[in-house]
């Protein structure tokens, strides 16, 4: 009797354990994340800033430059040509003298928007002075005297360039100019005929080195071509003996090519 009761209790316990195990398994549900089947979305990536080849980011560049000058001499320019002053008794009109310049340069980048640009080149400067012979009895002859100062220099500028936008820049810096030649031509005549046409050398009367500052504006295209316009402002007096005070002034327009 005890044995039957023991087996009965074991059978009931086994039945209960089986029922609870089945119920627990029925309550466990695996959670799965649904797979996304829509179009793929690329993550937006902000592009790194870049600059065109017309700024100072492509390393050292070399180039050639050429253009036209419109030159003048400020201050006591008449005294630089004493012969003319004697002919006209100082009644002189000053005009600007055309010329040209040409040379080489190197552009050394200091950052994405800045560069240093040393250069060397030939540049024509000087002035033109005209006057009338102060004799009333010869007014009807339209007698005139003209003196043209022709000064040639080797310009050595060291420019700082700052790019305002891609391609567009401003520049400024010091410049030393070595005098290569200094000549003057005095012409006097009447009724369209020259009675006097004299050339003389004035180089030994002028300073060998002229110091000044230059500045201007330019645009550099991506194909290497560029345009610029600037102004040379001489600081040194031209006369080495300090008998008069006169300085070079030059307006420049240039075309350049960088490679």
């Amino acid at each position: 009797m005890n044995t039957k009761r023991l087996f009965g209790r074991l059978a009931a316990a086994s039945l209960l354990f089986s029922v609870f195990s089945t119920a627990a398994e029925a309550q466990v549900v695996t959670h799965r994340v649904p797979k996304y089947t829509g179009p793929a979305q690329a993550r937006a990536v902000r592009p790194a800033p870049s600059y065109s080849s017309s700024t100072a980011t492509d390393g050292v560049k070399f180039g050639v430059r050429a253009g036209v000058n419109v030159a003048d001499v400020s201050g006591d320019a008449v005294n630089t040509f004493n012969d003319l002053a004697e002919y006209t008794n100082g009644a002189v009109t000053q005009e600007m003298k055309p010329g040209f310049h040409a040379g080489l340069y190197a552009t050394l980048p200091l950052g994405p928007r800045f560069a240093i640009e040393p250069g060397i080149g030939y540049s024509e400067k000087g002035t033109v002075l005209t006057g009338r012979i102060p004799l009333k009895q010869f007014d009807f002859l339209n007698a005139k005297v003209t003196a043209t100062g022709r000064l040639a220099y080797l310009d050595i500028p060291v420019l700082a360039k700052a790019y305002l936008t891609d391609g567009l820049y401003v520049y400024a810096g010091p410049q030393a100019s070595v005098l290569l030649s200094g000549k003057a031509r005095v012409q006097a005549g009447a009724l369209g005929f020259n009675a006097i046409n004299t050339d003389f050398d004035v180089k030994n009367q002028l300073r060998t080195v002229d110091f000044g500052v230059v500045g201007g504006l330019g645009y550099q295209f991506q194909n290497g071509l560029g345009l610029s316009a600037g102004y040379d402002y001489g600081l040194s007096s031209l006369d080495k003996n300090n008998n008069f005070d006169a300085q070079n002034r030059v307006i420049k327009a240039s075309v350049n090519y960088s490679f």
Side-chain angles (χ1 to χ4, degrees):
M1 186 67 180
N2 291 336
T3 303
K4 291 182 180 180
R5 188 175 295 175
L6 178 60
F7 280 108
R9 290 179 179 178
L10 290 175
S14 298
L15 180 60
L16 289 175
F17 180 77
S18 176
V19 171
F20 281 115
S21 297
T22 303
E25 290 179 359
Q27 291 179 359
V28 176
V29 179
T30 303
H31 179 70
R32 295 182 179 179
V33 178
K35 184 177 181 181
Y36 180 72
T37 58
Q41 295 182 353
R43 182 182 178 183
V45 178
R46 180 176 297 178
S50 60
Y51 302 100
S52 69
S53 59
S54 58
T55 62
T57 58
D58 290 342
V60 177
K61 285 183 173 292
F62 299 92
V64 295
R65 176 181 288 113
V68 296
N69 290 353
V70 181
D72 197 1
V73 175
S74 70
D76 301 326
V78 173
N79 292 332
T80 63
F81 307 106
N82 292 325
D83 290 348
L84 175 62
E86 291 175 2
Y87 287 130
T88 64
N89 197 26
V92 175
T93 300
Q94 190 170 346
E95 302 175 1
M96 304 191 82
K97 175 188 173 296
F100 76 95
H101 64 272
L104 308 172
Y105 63 88
T107 304
L108 313 176
L110 296 181
R113 295 292 182 181
F114 298 95
I116 295 294
E117 189 172 277
I120 187 170
Y122 174 86
S123 183
E124 294 182 341
K125 306 178 186 181
T127 190
V128 177
L129 306 174
T130 59
R132 295 178 62 85
I133 296 178
L135 297 175
K136 292 184 179 180
Q137 59 270 34
F138 295 116
D139 282 350
F140 72 97
L141 295 176
N142 193 27
K144 292 183 178 180
V145 181
T146 301
T148 302
R150 296 176 295 170
L151 310 180
Y153 286 88
L154 184 68
D155 285 346
I156 308 173
V158 180
L159 306 178
K161 299 175 67 175
Y163 284 85
L164 305 178
T165 63
D166 285 358
L168 182 64
Y169 62 88
V170 294
Y171 67 88
Q175 176 174 272
S177 300
V178 180
L179 182 64
L180 300 178
S181 67
K183 299 183 180 298
R185 172 173 293 178
V186 176
Q187 298 171 308
L191 298 177
F193 297 96
N194 284 334
I196 299 175
N197 192 344
T198 304
D199 292 331
F200 54 96
D201 197 321
V202 297
K203 181 179 179 181
N204 60 352
Q205 303 176 31
L206 305 177
R207 293 187 187 277
T208 303
V209 180
D210 177 30
F211 293 99
V213 293
V214 300
L217 180 72
Y219 191 90
Q220 193 71 35
F221 298 95
Q222 295 188 21
N223 61 4
L225 289 174
L227 303 172
S228 63
Y231 188 71
D232 292 9
Y233 188 89
L235 301 176
S236 304
S237 178
L238 296 178
D239 180 27
K240 71 177 182 180
N241 298 315
N242 295 320
N243 293 324
F244 58 86
D245 185 31
Q247 297 82 26
N248 281 313
R249 303 284 187 263
V250 185
I251 299 173
K252 291 181 175 179
S254 309
V255 177
N256 69 280
Y257 182 77
S258 296
F259 52 88

